[in-house]
Amino acid sequence: MPTSLMCRTGWNAVWRVTPCSADFRSRRPHSVIAQRHEGFRAREIAGAWCLGDWSGTLLRRAIQIPVKERSQVRRILKWAAWILLAVVAITVVLWLVSRYRGPSATQTAALALMQDRAPLPPGENAFPAIWLLDYDVPREQLQAVAEADVAQSSVTVTPAGDGLVVESQRAALTGFEQQRPSREDAQLFCNGGDIDCLARVRADLGAYEGLIARHRGLLDRVAALQDYGYYRSPPSAQSHAMLPPLEPAGYELTRVAWQFANGDVDGALAGACNGVQTWRRLGANSDALLMRSVADGYTDRYIRLLAGMLKEVGPTHELPTSCATAFAAPTVADASLCEAMRGEFVVSTHHIRQLVTDPETITGKIPAPSPKTLVWDPDKSLGILAEGHSWACSESTASNLVNDVRVDPGQNRQSLWRLECVANPSGCILADIAFPAYYNYQWKAQDHAARLELMGALLWLRTNATADEPLEPQLMAYWQHRRGNRELRLADDGRTVALQLYADGPEKWWSLPFFPAAE
C-alpha cells in the first residue's frame, strides 16, 4: 500500500504530502518541500518522518485552525470566563446574605421554647448521688464532692497517638472508699430486661446471699435514690460527665428478687414498687436522654419482677402503699421528652459556645468544625438545632401524648439546597444526620407510659375482677375506656397479655403474665 510523506512545518502552514517510497519501519528522514497554499506561509523543513495516510490526515485536521475558527474559540472562552465570574459573584452574594441573615421566625420561636426550662420538681437532684454511686461518700457531702470531681475530672488521649482515652486522676475522691463490684460479682447481678431474675437467684441462694452481703453499702445507696425528686446534669460539664455510672444503679433489683426467694414477700413487693416509683420519677424529670432511656429500662425490669412475684402471691395478699403511687395513671411527663430535649439543647449550646471561645478544650483528636469558618456558623447551627428539637415541646405533641397517639415529629429531612445552608453547610449536614435518631426515643417513652398503664390495669383486675367471669373480657372492657387505641392481645393460651409497641425495633409487643385475681 502506498504511503505518504508528511513534513512538519510552522503553525500557519498547510501540509502538502508527496509519495514516499521509503520503508516506514526504517523511519529514515526525507526531504520534502512544503508549498505555499491559499495565503498561508510555508517553509522548507527537513527531517520529516514517513507516516501513514491516516495519521497524516488526522494530524492535519487537528492543527489546521483558520483565523475565523480561532476567533470563535476566543469568543467562547470569553463567554465562559464571564459565566464563571457571574457564578462566583452570585455565590459570594448568597453566602453574604446567608451569613448575615437573622434566624427565621420559626427558629426564633423554637429558641425561646427550648430555652424555657420548666420549674424544678420537689426534692433534691439525684445527679451527685448517681455520679458517686461507686464511692462511699456521706450524703451531706455528695453535692460538694460531686461538683469538685466533675470540675477536676477529664478524659484525654494518650500521647502515643493510638487514640486510646484515659481518665485523669480524681483528686476530689481521695479518702473515699471505692466500692465497685469486681467483674465476677458484676456478672452475678441481674442485668438486662430479658433475664428471669427470680429464677436466677433461686438457682443459687447461697451465692447471692454472699453477693448481697459484700455489696450492701452500694445497694443501700441505690435504694436511697428513691429520696430524690429529679435528675439534672451540670450544663457546663464536659461530655464524659453526661455518662455517670448507671449500671450499678440496677443492682438493687437483684436484692429485691433475693428477698422474695428468701421468704421476705412484703419486703420484696415494697422494694419492687419502690423501684418502679423511683425510676419512673427520675426518668420523667430528667434533662438527659441517656438517663431517661436507662430509667425507663429499669422501670420495665421492676414491673416484670413484680408481675412474676404476684403470680405466686394470692390475690388477698395486701400490696404495699407504694404500689398505688408507682402505678398511678400516667401523666404527660411519663411519655414526654420535652425536658430531656431541652437538656440536650443546653449541652449542645454550651459545647458550641466553647468551640468558639476555646476549641482546644473539647476537640482534642475528635474532628470538629473550626469556629466561624466559611462552612460553619455557630449561631445558625443553634437555630437549626432549636427548630429540630422543638417538636418535643410543642402543643401538638402534648395533645398526642394525652391521647396516646403515636407522635409524628413531622420533620422530613430538609434539602441542603436552602439559603441558610450556604454559609453553614456543616451545621445543616450534622443536624440532618442527628434529628431522625431522636424520634425513636419519643416512641419508647410512649411505650414506657403504656407499660405502666397495663400493669395498673392488671393490678385493678387483681382486686376488682368479678369471680364468675373470665379475666380476659374484663381486662379488655377496662382497657377500652383508657386513652388512645393501643391494641392488646392475649398470648400463650391466655396466660399472658401483650401490649402493642410504637417504637421501631425487633420487638413489636410487650407482654406480662396474668396473675391471680380476686375470687
Side-chain angles (χ1 to χ4, degrees):
M1 176 181 296
T3 59
S4 297
L5 178 66
M6 184 181 71
C7 298
R8 196 167 44 182
T9 68
W11 176 259
N12 295 324
V14 177
W15 297 99
R16 292 295 184 100
V17 297
T18 58
C20 175
S21 59
D23 183 4
F24 174 75
R25 290 171 299 177
S26 66
R27 296 182 182 268
R28 289 178 297 177
H30 295 264
S31 295
V32 296
I33 298 177
Q35 300 180 3
R36 188 183 185 114
H37 178 67
E38 295 179 356
F40 288 90
R41 184 172 54 88
R43 71 176 62 159
E44 181 176 348
I45 298 297
W49 300 95
C50 188
L51 302 175
D53 287 337
W54 60 274
S55 59
T57 301
L58 292 176
L59 189 57
R60 286 200 312 275
R61 293 180 178 176
I63 66 175
Q64 181 178 343
I65 306 179
V67 175
K68 184 177 180 180
E69 295 182 5
R70 281 186 291 159
S71 176
Q72 293 177 348
V73 170
R74 284 195 297 268
R75 189 179 300 110
I76 292 173
L77 292 177
K78 183 169 68 175
W79 276 107
W82 279 109
I83 292 173
L84 180 61
L85 183 62
V87 170
V88 172
I90 293 173
T91 302
V92 171
V93 171
L94 289 175
W95 188 91
L96 291 173
V97 173
S98 176
R99 174 54 58 93
Y100 296 105
R101 174 175 172 260
S104 65
T106 303
Q107 291 177 347
T108 301
L111 284 167
L113 183 63
M114 298 311 294
Q115 293 169 352
D116 183 20
R117 303 299 298 273
L120 290 177
E124 298 180 54
N125 184 10
F127 174 82
I130 295 177
W131 177 257
L132 300 175
L133 204 55
D134 287 338
Y135 293 85
D136 186 16
V137 180
R139 180 162 180 170
E140 62 273 11
Q141 301 182 39
L142 283 173
Q143 183 68 36
V145 174
E147 288 179 357
D149 185 48
V150 169
Q152 294 173 1
S153 64
S154 63
V155 291
T156 56
V157 181
T158 56
D162 50 12
L164 296 178
V165 175
V166 296
E167 289 189 2
S168 64
Q169 296 295 324
R170 304 176 70 174
L173 299 178
T174 302
F176 299 106
E177 180 187 0
Q178 185 181 31
Q179 297 178 344
R180 180 182 300 172
S182 65
R183 179 176 299 181
E184 293 75 14
D185 280 358
Q187 292 175 349
L188 284 176
F189 284 105
C190 299
N191 291 311
D194 57 341
I195 294 177
D196 186 346
C197 190
L198 196 56
R200 183 173 178 176
V201 170
R202 278 175 170 159
D204 196 343
L205 277 176
Y208 278 93
E209 183 176 3
L211 176 73
I212 291 166
R214 288 193 299 273
H215 303 289
R216 192 173 304 277
L218 171 61
L219 296 176
D220 288 344
R221 291 194 296 275
V222 175
L225 293 176
Q226 64 181 311
D227 299 331
Y228 293 88
Y230 59 92
Y231 181 94
R232 289 290 184 274
S233 51
S236 59
Q238 298 188 31
S239 298
H240 69 282
M242 304 300 107
L243 303 172
L246 288 169
E247 182 178 352
Y251 290 166
E252 173 66 5
L253 183 91
T254 304
R255 182 164 67 172
V256 172
W258 176 81
Q259 286 177 308
F260 187 83
N262 213 36
D264 185 6
V265 175
D266 290 332
L269 294 176
C273 289
N274 287 338
V276 171
Q277 188 176 358
T278 298
W279 291 110
R280 176 182 178 178
R281 179 174 59 252
L282 293 181
N285 298 312
S286 171
D287 69 341
L289 276 178
L290 174 65
M291 182 63 185
R292 174 64 199 243
S293 179
V294 171
D296 291 354
Y298 285 159
T299 304
D300 175 21
R301 291 166 60 184
Y302 276 108
I303 291 175
R304 290 180 183 273
L305 178 60
L306 179 62
M309 292 189 294
L310 290 178
K311 284 178 60 178
E312 305 179 23
V313 176
T316 58
H317 192 103
E318 187 176 355
L319 294 180
T321 56
S322 58
C323 292
T325 305
F327 296 101
T331 64
V332 171
D334 289 307
S336 175
L337 284 188
C338 181
E339 282 307 307
M341 294 295 284
R342 281 173 171 166
E344 295 293 319
F345 182 74
V346 169
V347 173
S348 299
T349 301
H350 170 73
H351 287 298
I352 288 176
R353 297 302 185 200
Q354 196 170 8
L355 265 175
V356 176
T357 58
D358 191 10
E360 293 298 325
T361 59
I362 62 174
T363 54
K365 296 181 76 70
I366 302 174
S370 300
K372 206 75 173 181
T373 64
L374 294 175
V375 295
W376 185 65
D377 187 306
D379 295 324
K380 293 193 177 299
S381 296
L382 286 176
I384 295 172
L385 285 175
E387 185 179 8
H389 290 349
S390 62
W391 60 265
C393 300
S394 68
E395 294 182 0
S396 61
T397 294
S399 176
N400 287 338
L401 297 181
V402 169
N403 298 307
D404 194 25
V405 176
R406 192 175 192 259
V407 171
D408 179 12
Q411 293 184 344
N412 297 322
R413 291 193 172 187
Q414 299 186 45
S415 170
L416 296 178
W417 297 97
R418 59 187 195 270
L419 184 59
E420 65 180 349
C421 295
V422 175
N424 187 33
S426 295
C428 290
I429 291 173
L430 292 176
D432 183 64
I433 295 172
F435 287 156
Y438 293 113
Y439 305 157
N440 210 38
Y441 282 100
Q442 175 59 74
W443 300 326
K444 288 180 178 180
Q446 290 184 264
D447 291 340
H448 159 73
R451 291 187 185 102
L452 292 169
E453 199 164 9
L454 175 59
M455 187 61 181
L458 292 175
L459 291 176
W460 174 88
L461 194 68
R462 180 177 183 268
T463 57
N464 295 280
T466 303
D468 56 353
E469 295 182 14
L471 294 178
E472 295 86 343
Q474 296 183 69
L475 175 62
M476 293 302 179
Y478 178 84
W479 191 257
Q480 288 177 357
H481 297 289
R482 69 177 292 276
R483 59 200 179 95
N485 56 357
R486 196 186 288 255
E487 186 180 352
L488 284 185
R489 287 182 181 176
L490 299 179
D492 298 331
D493 296 327
R495 292 191 300 271
T496 62
V497 56
L499 174 74
Q500 178 190 8
L501 299 179
Y502 287 165
D504 292 336
E507 300 295 331
K508 299 300 181 183
W509 298 87
W510 182 82
S511 60
L512 283 178
F514 274 111
F515 37 80
E519 299 178 357

